[in-house]
Amino acid sequence: MSSSSSGGELAPSRTSLAALGEWMRTHRRALQGVQWCVVAAYAVLVVAPAFLPLPPGDAHGYDNLVVAAQWLFWGLWWPLVIASMLVLGRTWCGVFCPEGTLTEAASRHGLGRGVPRWMRWGGWPFVAFALTTVFGQLVSVYQYATATLLVLGGSTLAAIAVGFVYGKGKRVWCRHLCPVNGVFAVLARVSPLHFRVDPDAWLASAGRVRTHPVNCAPMVRIRRMTGPAECHMCARCSGLQGAVVLAGRSPGHEIARIEPGEAQAWDAALIVFGMIGLAIGAFEWSATPWFARLRTMLADRILDHGPAWLLADDAPWWLLTHYPDAHDVFTWLDGALIVGWIAGTALILGGFVALCLALASLPVRGMPGRAYALSYSLTPLAGIGLFVGLSALTVGLAKGEGVQLHALPALRCALLAAGAAWSLWLAYAHLKGRARGARLAFAFLAFSSGVAGVLVAWYPFVFHIR
Ligand code: SF4
């Protein structure tokens, strides 16, 4: 990972960025004011629309609170938060996120218990992301305010409860259980912004009194911090020991240098099977004609041979989409097919990409750690893919406002191509110092095959969802 004083640092912006970090630290109250304003807006927009009637077909964001909340949460908030991770690291988490603010506040006044062992399990980021993604599809979280309240409100209540029980002024929820913590940590690794720790300056200040007391809410070991994956960019440690500054760095520097011993198997699983496989399955099931054909075929079979309950649409709205007024009701068969489709896509596409990563790692020593390390190179493609997938909601809402994007497929192709090129560049930078000649060519070709497979998998989404 990135060294604190390595060649990846970008010198020109250092001074102004360091000043910005100091400004953020010394204007903590202003930032807290922003955080609580976000909490207030979030509370209104999550709760109120759930108690309003479904919006009529001709409702707009400017005359209907339900549509306005849909715009803010799913049309703007999610795609922009994902994009911000690639540029600003986890500034969203430390400066704006309402769940982070609430869980930390609850933790300040709570029981202060230690973090239990089960919560430290490294698989939570993957499992929480997978469960939330699949459940969100089953209840149509993007389309209905009650489902939004269920998923986001439920997550917020859990964040407050965890904060109340565990830690003292900490963000235990964010660090261990937040469903998007793992995704944000992976994306932040390509961020050109980070709080840089200078180990020499830290050592030189050893034994001195701390410049200011620091409560790092996400519990980062600041002295050993080598990248922004876990840092929420809150700036509280700016200037600490005269060794911590907000600084720029070359995007991708950290990923190009990552060694097998530093790479996490669960991160690799999250990137390959979660952010790529599962996400594409979730974005595409409603767009692909194959899903519709499979559903019709199975429904016909069930009509002839049973069991009939699979075609019943009596599931509650908090388990499967159930909005008869909007003619949108899922049967048990629909639910099973959606879960199967998403899981199947994750396994087939993720399995193919994992195989390509394993092949790409063969000429370079250190399997399986090398394959895990190489998986981080897929971060730009995975992250831009999430942005493209989530922005389908933005496009759908814009269509409702009468805005047509005729160049949409071309725009999506351009974004995904940029993500693919960035990933290939990272993989090449990672491999070139570790293999040469035919070995390098083989490794790069195998990695490129994985990237090509992901691009092919995006085809139905790019050209069929408008
Ligand atoms: S290391 Fe901790 S205190 Fe420092 S900026 Fe990151 S989150 Fe804040």
Side-chain angles (χ1 to χ4, degrees):
M1 284 189 263
S2 68
S3 159
S4 55
S5 54
S6 63
E9 302 301 335
L10 296 178
S13 59
R14 200 170 58 187
T15 312
S16 50
L17 283 176
L20 175 63
E22 279 299 289
W23 185 90
M24 288 172 69
R25 180 177 70 78
T26 51
H27 290 76
R28 179 96 203 107
R29 282 197 172 276
L31 293 188
Q32 281 174 332
V34 170
Q35 287 177 321
W36 285 105
C37 286
V38 175
V39 169
Y42 173 80
V44 170
L45 290 172
V46 163
V47 177
F51 296 95
L52 295 173
L54 289 174
D58 58 353
H60 298 282
Y62 53 81
D63 61 13
N64 186 291
L65 185 64
V66 179
V67 182
Q70 226 180 349
W71 256 111
L72 282 169
F73 279 130
W74 307 120
L76 298 172
W77 172 47
W78 259 124
L80 291 180
V81 167
I82 292 291
S84 80
M85 294 293 151
L86 299 170
V87 182
L88 303 173
R90 301 182 67 168
T91 304
W92 160 263
C93 302
V95 180
F96 300 105
C97 178
E99 280 194 4
T101 305
L102 287 167
T103 196
E104 188 180 337
S107 177
R108 267 199 297 277
H109 305 288
L111 306 178
R113 291 195 187 146
V115 182
R117 209 164 147 201
W118 65 264
M119 210 183 273
R120 297 175 193 266
W121 180 52
W124 283 124
F126 176 81
V127 172
F129 174 76
L131 291 179
T132 312
T133 303
V134 174
F135 185 62
Q137 293 298 308
L138 292 178
V139 296
S140 298
V141 67
Y142 304 133
Q143 283 79 26
Y144 299 104
T146 42
T148 301
L149 177 62
L150 177 69
V151 175
L152 292 186
S155 168
T156 304
L157 284 181
I160 294 171
V162 168
F164 184 78
V165 176
Y166 302 107
K168 205 69 196 163
K170 301 297 181 194
R171 294 184 172 205
V172 175
W173 166 264
C174 310
R175 175 69 193 248
H176 295 290
L177 296 178
C178 169
V180 279
N181 168 45
V183 173
F184 289 174
V186 164
L187 296 178
R189 286 179 186 270
V190 294
S191 158
L193 277 186
H194 72 148
F195 276 90
R196 175 168 59 86
V197 182
D198 182 339
D200 296 334
W202 193 292
L203 210 61
S205 71
R208 285 196 225 145
V209 179
R210 283 192 164 191
T211 42
H212 53 271
V214 171
N215 168 34
C216 176
M219 299 172 286
V220 178
R221 289 195 290 182
I222 300 170
R223 185 182 170 180
R224 297 191 184 154
M225 181 166 65
T226 55
E230 291 163 349
C231 167
H232 286 198
M233 306 289 282
C234 71
R236 289 178 211 176
C237 64
S238 176
L240 185 66
Q241 304 294 108
V244 185
V245 287
L246 180 61
R249 61 177 194 163
S250 163
H253 176 75
E254 178 178 339
I255 285 178
R257 288 171 53 110
I258 198 163
E259 289 298 336
E262 300 162 311
Q264 309 281 331
W266 279 112
D267 275 354
L270 180 63
I271 295 166
V272 173
F273 291 95
M275 293 164 68
I276 291 176
L278 205 85
I280 292 181
F283 291 136
E284 281 188 350
W285 69 265
S286 61
T288 167
W290 300 322
F291 182 90
R293 269 185 229 137
L294 182 64
R295 188 194 179 283
T296 308
M297 191 189 81
L298 286 175
D300 288 345
R301 255 188 101 80
I302 291 166
L303 275 175
D304 292 340
H305 305 287
W309 63 266
L310 272 172
L311 296 179
D313 58 7
D314 53 352
W317 66 270
W318 44 265
L319 197 58
L320 286 178
T321 300
H322 192 89
Y323 300 90
D325 292 348
H327 309 290
D328 194 3
V329 177
F330 285 0
T331 63
W332 294 99
L333 173 67
D334 292 326
L337 270 176
I338 291 167
V339 174
W341 190 273
I342 296 174
T345 308
L347 287 174
I348 294 168
L349 180 58
F352 173 73
V353 175
L355 179 67
C356 292
L357 288 175
L359 287 173
S361 307
L362 279 182
V364 195
R365 288 205 191 117
M367 275 285 281
R370 179 63 61 195
Y372 302 154
L374 205 48
S375 71
Y376 290 98
S377 299
L378 289 165
T379 300
L381 180 57
I384 289 176
L386 287 179
F387 176 82
V388 167
L390 289 167
S391 62
L393 275 306
T394 321
V395 172
L397 288 164
K399 216 167 133 189
E401 306 289 345
V403 179
Q404 290 287 350
L405 279 171
H406 297 293
L408 192 61
L411 206 59
R412 285 172 173 163
C413 283
L415 282 169
L416 290 169
W422 190 355
S423 283
L424 289 171
W425 173 69
L426 285 180
Y428 182 74
H430 183 91
L431 290 167
K432 76 169 188 241
R434 297 168 172 96
R436 286 185 184 180
R439 294 164 77 87
L440 174 60
F442 177 85
F444 190 66
L445 190 68
F447 183 87
S448 306
S449 304
V451 168
V454 177
L455 291 178
V456 169
W458 273 108
Y459 179 87
F461 180 91
V462 167
F463 294 100
H464 291 288
I465 292 190
R466 294 188 178 220

